[in-house]
Amino acid sequence: MIKLLRNFRQNALTSGVTRTYIKYAIGEIVLVVIGILIALSINNWNEERKSFTQIELLLNNLGKTVKEDISILENTVVLHEFRSNSLAYVLKFLQYTDRSSNEGFIPKHEKNTIWKGSYPDTLNTDFVDLAIFHSGINDKVVINKNVLDELKNTGLFSAIENDSLKNAINTYYSFVNRNFIINDWNEDLTISWRGFLRDTYGVLTMEFPNRYDPLSFVKSNEPVQIRIHEMVGPARYRSGNASHAITLAEDVIREIDLYLKSK
């Protein structure tokens, strides 16, 4: 009987020690798991901060390049606004209304310094000279896509948790890509016009005002009138496209600023 009591007491003590060890082991495991979870959370947080730092840097650079785009696009707006209006002006004084009645004038751009003051209502030979001179100037709209490409190639564009910003960026670059990068029809049109004058009449647009009375020359050569008429509409269209691209670019800059300020 005494032996049984001793065995029972020993078993109880052993069982108590085992339970204590089990509780201790469970506690250790819980602490280790909590430590791992905390470490993972910290690591994830650090990775997120690193990603955001990269995104922040690239978005700031993107904002700078888009501002540079705006400067280029403003030059295009001004050049083609002047081209459209000045060539329509030439046609007006040639009474070329039968085929140019749909080519009305558009408002003069506020940054247009090609012609000081309002456009003339009466015949102005200096204005005609400028019209012919600028008809041959080819503007190349160069849009910098390097930062956008880096954002997308690194996967950081997808990491931007702001649909409004991503939509603004995609809309802007899709528009300029379609209208100014893939197929710059304006360049072909301008080169064709210069080649036409050079090959047909042996004159360059830049020399034209010095060699001829432009209005008399155009009046006496109907093929030149037709070519000028063909340039008015596209110039107006390109000016409008460049103006719209500027609006989209400004949307991108605004969305970038809002996104960065919210972080």
Side-chain angles (χ1 to χ4, degrees), residues 21-209:
Y21 276 118
I22 290 172
K23 289 178 181 178
Y24 177 79
I26 292 172
E28 287 291 320
I29 292 170
V30 170
L31 288 174
V32 169
V33 170
I34 291 173
I36 291 172
L37 291 174
I38 291 173
L40 286 173
S41 296
I42 292 173
N43 183 63
N44 289 338
W45 182 83
N46 285 333
E47 289 300 316
E48 287 176 2
R49 287 307 302 170
K50 272 200 237 176
S51 293
F52 176 73
T53 300
Q54 288 178 285
I55 291 172
E56 183 180 32
L57 176 63
L58 288 172
L59 286 179
N60 277 319
N61 289 337
L62 184 66
K64 291 176 184 176
T65 60
V66 171
K67 287 177 182 177
E68 291 170 359
D69 293 346
I70 288 175
S71 296
I72 295 171
L73 289 165
E74 283 179 342
N75 291 334
T76 293
V77 172
V78 168
L79 174 63
H80 288 275
E81 173 269 303
F82 177 79
R83 178 175 294 174
S84 176
N85 282 330
S86 62
L87 293 180
Y89 172 93
V90 170
L91 295 176
K92 172 185 173 182
F93 282 98
L94 291 173
Q95 297 182 337
Y96 196 79
T97 54
D98 57 325
R99 280 169 286 185
S100 62
S101 57
N102 62 330
E103 309 290 8
F105 295 89
I106 57 178
K108 182 183 178 184
H109 195 273
E110 60 183 6
K111 293 188 177 180
N112 184 343
T113 58
I114 297 173
W115 179 263
K116 304 292 185 180
S118 302
Y119 289 147
D121 294 323
T122 57
L123 181 58
N124 186 308
T125 55
D126 290 336
F127 191 72
V128 175
D129 289 350
L130 279 176
I132 300 300
F133 180 86
H134 284 83
S135 68
I137 294 178
N138 177 47
D139 68 312
K140 185 71 174 176
V141 177
V142 180
I143 301 297
N144 187 344
K145 295 179 63 182
N146 292 338
V147 180
L148 176 67
D149 290 341
E150 187 174 354
L151 267 170
K152 293 197 170 182
N153 292 338
T154 56
L156 292 173
F157 186 79
S158 299
I160 299 174
E161 297 177 348
N162 187 302
D163 289 339
S164 182
L165 171 57
K166 290 195 284 190
N167 287 337
I169 292 172
N170 283 330
T171 300
Y172 168 66
Y173 281 102
S174 175
F175 184 82
V176 295
N177 193 57
R178 186 170 64 251
N179 289 282
F180 298 103
I181 299 176
I182 292 178
N183 182 24
D184 194 347
W185 51 265
N186 170 74
E187 183 175 12
D188 296 335
L189 183 64
T190 307
I191 292 173
S192 174
W193 162 244
R194 292 201 306 259
F196 166 73
L197 287 179
R198 181 193 64 233
D199 298 339
T200 309
Y201 300 100
V203 64
L204 302 177
T205 52
M206 290 184 292
E207 300 175 346
F208 204 98

